[in-house]
Amino acid sequence: MRVLVACEYSGVVRDAFIARGHDAMSCDLLPTDVPGPHYQGDVTDILEDGWDLMIAHPPCTYLSNSGVSWLHRDLSRWDKLKDGASFFKRLLDAPIPLKAIENPIMHKYAKELIGNIKQTQVIHPWMFGHPESKATCLWLTGLMPLRETHNVYHEMMQLSKAKRQRLHWLPPGPDRWKERSRTFTGIAEAMAIQWG
Ligand SMILES: C[S@@+](CC[C@H](N)C(=O)[O-])C[C@H]1O[C@@H](n2cnc3c(N)ncnc32)[C@H](O)[C@@H]1O
């Protein structure tokens, strides 16, 4: 299949599909962290290039429920929320038969702007072999919900809260956002096996 992995600098999902014989390319405004087929630029330039499947990880800074209180403290965020929601909707509406758009739990203002289109499922890294908790929503078109591959919930619950929410407690730094947003390999492999 021709697979577009939109908004991916890490190459994690792209390389999981390539390893299974697919013609996959990542796209991000940033360069790819790992060498491989990559379009550095705006994904809206290439949405109509005849893809079979798109997996997209659009920015969540202004859409996610965990940041909703900032909207009331910094009024400049409302315009950024509108831009973020319109970009998300553009990906949802892309003319590609199979699609998965990924984002954390959204707040009600973002949901209203994207047209109250409910996510298809909510997954966590612990369903795919990583002892960490991070609710991740998937909006799916033409795809079956992702099935868990290696449930380590009980192992995770033996860990301290700080360890199982490691990403939440990462120290500040220029690469903190990258570390927090990189797709888990177990989830990428499940996508490539089940959707490829
Ligand atoms: C939340 S991060 C997703 C990271 C991804 N999970 C990974 O493993 O690489 C969102 C990414 O979207 C990219 N992005 C934002 N606007 C974009 C656009 N118009 N076209 C392509 N990428 C874009 C950002 O540069 C950022 O790397």
Side-chain angles (χ1 to χ4, degrees):
M1 290 202 299
R2 290 198 68 220
V3 183
L4 171 63
V5 188
C7 306
E8 179 176 84
Y9 64 82
S10 69
V12 171
V13 177
R14 175 199 69 202
D15 290 349
F17 275 88
I18 289 177
R20 282 159 188 85
H22 296 287
D23 176 10
M25 184 177 86
S26 50
C27 166
D28 201 291
L29 299 174
L30 300 174
T32 178
D33 269 8
V34 178
H38 184 73
Y39 174 75
Q40 184 177 354
D42 188 337
V43 71
T44 60
D45 296 345
I46 56 168
L47 287 178
E48 291 171 18
D49 287 2
W51 307 98
D52 299 307
L53 164 65
M54 173 175 74
I55 295 169
H57 311 277
C60 58
T61 313
Y62 303 103
L63 309 181
S64 99
N65 197 42
S66 61
V68 68
S69 62
W70 285 101
L71 283 171
H72 304 293
R73 284 185 256 171
D74 173 2
L75 296 182
S76 74
R77 289 175 78 102
W78 288 93
D79 280 342
K80 293 174 185 156
L81 159 61
K82 281 186 196 147
D83 291 346
S86 136
F87 181 57
F88 189 98
K89 190 79 176 43
R90 183 89 192 266
L91 296 171
L92 267 182
D93 294 342
I96 300 174
L98 308 174
K99 277 174 289 193
I101 322 287
E102 172 265 318
N103 238 227
I105 307 273
M106 268 186 191
H107 54 64
K108 64 175 181 179
Y109 309 106
K111 282 184 193 161
E112 276 165 20
L113 285 165
I114 69 158
N116 284 318
I117 302 165
K118 199 175 183 296
Q119 72 270 0
T120 315
Q121 66 175 141
V122 181
I123 58 171
H124 281 274
W126 53 258
M127 298 170 166
F128 302 89
H130 302 271
E132 295 187 41
S133 186
K134 183 187 180 195
T136 303
C137 303
L138 297 174
W139 284 257
L140 304 180
T141 305
L143 295 168
M144 295 297 285
L146 208 58
R147 294 184 307 280
E148 64 180 31
T149 50
H150 179 200
N151 188 319
V152 292
Y153 182 79
H154 292 293
E155 291 89 325
M156 180 185 76
M157 292 311 280
Q158 311 296 319
L159 301 173
S160 65
K161 196 171 176 190
K163 279 202 174 133
R164 57 182 195 261
Q165 295 186 344
R166 180 184 65 87
L167 294 173
H168 187 68
W169 300 108
L170 283 177
D175 283 340
R176 182 177 192 267
W177 76 270
K178 269 192 162 184
E179 185 66 16
R180 278 168 61 86
S181 72
R182 185 176 292 114
T183 305
F184 286 82
T185 52
I187 295 179
E189 272 159 32
M191 288 173 167
I193 291 168
Q194 296 176 34
W195 294 341

